[in-house]
Amino acid sequence: MQESNKKRYFYNFFMRNRNLFKEAFLCMIFAFTVLCIVSWIGISLNFFSPFKNAFKDFSYLDMYYAEKLETNDPNINENIILVNVDRRNRKEIAGMLQKIQESQPKVIGVDVIFKDLEDPVWDRFLSEFLKSENIVAAYVLNDDKRIISNKNILEEGVALGYSNFNFDDESAVIRNFRGVYKKNDTILEAFGTAVSKKFMAQDWDIGMESYLSIDRPINYSGNRDFFLVLEYDEIMNGEFSPLIKDKIILVGYLGNPIQHRFDLEDKHFTPMNPRFVGKSPPDTFGLVIHANIVQMIIEGNFIKVVPNWIRILLTIVLTYMALCYFIWLNKRQLASYILRLNIVQLFFIVFFVWVALLLFRQKLLFKTASITAVMVFSIGLIGFYKKLAHYLYKRFKWEGFFFHD
């Protein structure tokens, strides 16, 4: 009997409000159509590109990294050691590699490209230390062409990895990473992937290649201060030799030891920039980004991404519910409509930012900006839809919520 009363209640509720539900659905279709047209115009016209890119380079989730770097303890990473080549010549770089090899590291990643030949003696000397089994060398992938070290310095058979982080040319901020690049029958590994694979050896999961074949968010562990950075003199003096054994050594450019903060060479914008609004200047050396990627891979500490279908479903459901409420409010309580509209819109924005940050702390990336934008945009079109409904009512005797009780 009680179950029957519930069914009757919901049936009566639906019948009383069927025009409202129909009106909200049609308004949502109208809003989505307008949104598609506006989006198409924005994509087609280059005029909007600077605005699109500006918003693409901004994410309120960057606040998480700003807070993380301020509150985290200053413990140094023990798995990965960075070696700064600064502006050393090839003789000095070869000497550093020799000293590093004597300390028996497990992997040495060399993020330096020796494109042209210089002194034959020292080029050959350098080449000898780039042959080792534990070496991974970097190259740049540019329009499917490799910019790689000269073949007289880097011989065939050496493990290679492209130093590109991703292939998104429109975004200046390095948030994502593609560990495996596939095109036709060609499969190439990123520098961070190749280093991690060599370090993990038998523990490497073959399924990781498929997982890394699309862009994945980088889970940044820390900036330059998070890693032990060794300079030329420290390497040659052997001060840190005991620490190098069985570790990952990444060799590359990290600027002048004293003034590196003002050095812009091979620096990139990242979410770790303390100025997450109006990022300037670039904040992180490429070698440090590679170190974060390697740390993420060897620990399996990835950021999961909420699937697009869930975001789309939530966008449709929440937009429809919001339209039901505001269409009802627009007709019944017009005096408080604008005030409530602004309050609810502000609530949704703050709420979704809070949810996104909360989930991001749990290593779950939930991009809520699109949900909020679609909802706010759709609600803002209720007035235009009402005028369209009024026109249809006058011309075709349209029966809807606005013009039928």
Side-chain angles (χ1 to χ4, degrees):
M1 186 67 177
Q2 188 175 2
E3 186 69 23
S4 177
N5 290 336
K6 286 183 179 179
K7 290 182 179 179
R8 189 180 300 110
Y9 171 79
F10 284 114
Y11 175 78
N12 293 334
F13 176 79
F14 175 80
M15 293 303 295
R16 287 197 309 270
N17 297 282
R18 63 184 184 278
N19 285 329
L20 171 61
F21 297 145
K22 181 184 76 171
E23 205 80 73
F25 178 77
L26 294 174
C27 183
M28 184 173 66
I29 298 300
F30 170 75
F32 286 177
T33 302
V34 174
L35 183 60
C36 289
I37 294 173
V38 171
S39 300
W40 178 81
I41 294 174
I43 294 172
S44 302
L45 297 181
N46 292 330
F47 173 79
F48 290 99
S49 294
F51 301 97
K52 180 180 69 174
N53 293 338
F55 283 106
K56 191 173 183 179
D57 287 338
F58 169 75
S59 173
Y60 50 76
L61 294 176
D62 295 352
M63 292 185 290
Y64 165 76
Y65 286 109
E67 178 187 356
K68 179 180 178 181
L69 293 177
E70 287 181 1
T71 58
N72 269 11
D73 55 48
N75 291 340
I76 299 296
N77 185 296
E78 297 181 355
N79 298 315
I80 303 170
I81 297 174
L82 309 184
V83 175
N84 183 19
V85 299
D86 196 3
R87 301 187 185 278
R88 300 289 172 178
N89 58 42
R90 292 182 182 180
K91 174 186 175 181
E92 293 170 319
I93 294 175
M96 292 170 70
L97 290 176
Q98 182 181 23
K99 275 290 187 180
I100 292 170
Q101 287 286 20
E102 290 174 357
S103 301
Q104 299 180 327
K106 192 167 184 178
V107 182
I108 302 176
V110 182
D111 185 23
V112 184
I113 297 176
F114 307 98
K115 189 176 180 181
D116 301 316
L117 295 174
E118 294 181 359
D119 188 300
V121 175
W122 298 120
D123 284 349
R124 185 62 186 170
F125 185 52
L126 175 62
S127 177
E128 289 298 318
F129 294 104
L130 292 175
K131 291 180 181 178
S132 301
E133 182 66 24
N134 64 345
I135 290 286
V136 176
Y139 67 92
V140 175
L141 194 59
N142 186 12
D143 295 329
D144 298 334
K145 296 180 181 178
R146 301 187 191 187
I147 302 175
I148 197 168
S149 294
N150 191 286
K151 62 181 180 180
N152 292 315
I153 299 176
L154 186 67
E155 299 181 1
E156 292 186 8
V158 177
L160 299 173
Y162 58 82
S163 59
N164 312 61
F165 299 110
N166 57 56
F167 300 94
D168 182 3
D169 296 328
E170 294 184 354
S171 179
V173 183
I174 307 299
R175 291 193 176 90
N176 298 317
F177 160 73
R178 186 178 300 182
V180 175
Y181 180 78
K182 296 181 180 180
K183 186 169 184 179
N184 301 326
D185 296 330
T186 304
I187 299 178
L188 303 174
E189 293 179 343
F191 181 71
T193 304
V195 170
S196 303
K197 187 175 181 180
K198 189 172 284 290
F199 177 78
M200 297 176 72
Q202 300 299 324
D203 294 329
W204 177 258
D205 183 0
I206 193 66
M208 187 64 68
E209 294 179 1
S210 177
Y211 182 80
L212 295 175
S213 62
I214 61 174
D215 286 356
R216 297 290 177 182
I218 301 174
N219 186 9
Y220 284 98
S221 300
N223 54 22
R224 192 181 195 271
D225 298 333
F226 180 70
F227 300 93
L228 175 62
V229 178
L230 301 182
E231 302 293 338
Y232 176 79
D233 293 336
E234 295 168 328
I235 291 291
M236 300 309 291
N237 292 336
E239 297 177 30
F240 294 90
S241 292
L243 297 177
I244 292 177
K245 183 177 173 60
D246 295 329
K247 299 295 175 59
I248 297 174
I249 310 300
L250 298 183
V251 180
Y253 184 78
L254 291 170
N256 183 280
I258 299 175
Q259 298 181 334
H260 63 84
R261 298 186 186 280
F262 308 102
D263 193 338
L264 299 182
E265 184 174 342
D266 194 32
K267 258 189 179 178
H268 307 268
F269 294 110
T270 73
M272 295 186 293
N273 195 321
R275 293 181 59 187
F276 51 84
V277 177
K279 298 180 187 297
S280 181
D283 56 286
T284 306
F285 287 103
L287 192 69
V288 177
I289 300 177
H290 285 304
N292 276 275
I293 291 170
V294 172
Q295 179 77 7
M296 176 181 71
I297 294 176
I298 65 176
E299 292 186 351
N301 194 16
F302 293 97
I303 296 174
K304 296 180 180 179
V305 181
V306 174
N308 287 332
W309 70 267
I310 292 181
R311 294 196 298 118
I312 292 172
L313 181 62
L314 279 174
T315 301
I316 293 173
V317 171
L318 293 176
T319 299
Y320 180 73
M321 292 174 62
L323 287 173
C324 283
Y325 173 72
F326 282 108
I327 288 174
W328 172 83
L329 187 65
N330 184 281
K331 181 177 181 181
R332 302 297 181 184
Q333 302 181 34
L334 189 59
S336 62
Y337 174 75
I338 299 300
L339 177 61
R340 293 194 187 188
L341 176 66
N342 292 332
I343 292 175
V344 172
Q345 285 179 338
L346 179 61
F347 169 79
F348 273 123
I349 293 172
V350 173
F351 174 75
F352 278 121
V353 169
W354 176 78
V355 169
L357 285 170
L358 183 66
L359 293 176
F360 199 63
R361 288 190 176 94
Q362 306 303 317
K363 298 180 178 60
L364 182 63
L365 178 59
F366 182 28
K367 300 178 181 178
T368 60
S370 59
I371 300 177
T372 307
V374 171
M375 287 181 59
V376 171
F377 182 84
S378 300
I379 293 170
L381 289 179
I382 290 177
F384 294 98
Y385 172 78
K386 186 176 180 180
K387 292 180 180 179
L388 175 63
H390 181 68
Y391 168 78
L392 294 173
Y393 173 76
K394 290 179 63 177
R395 187 174 179 86
F396 303 106
K397 298 302 178 183
W398 175 282
E399 183 177 324
F401 179 75
F402 286 115
F403 309 103
H404 181 83
D405 292 324

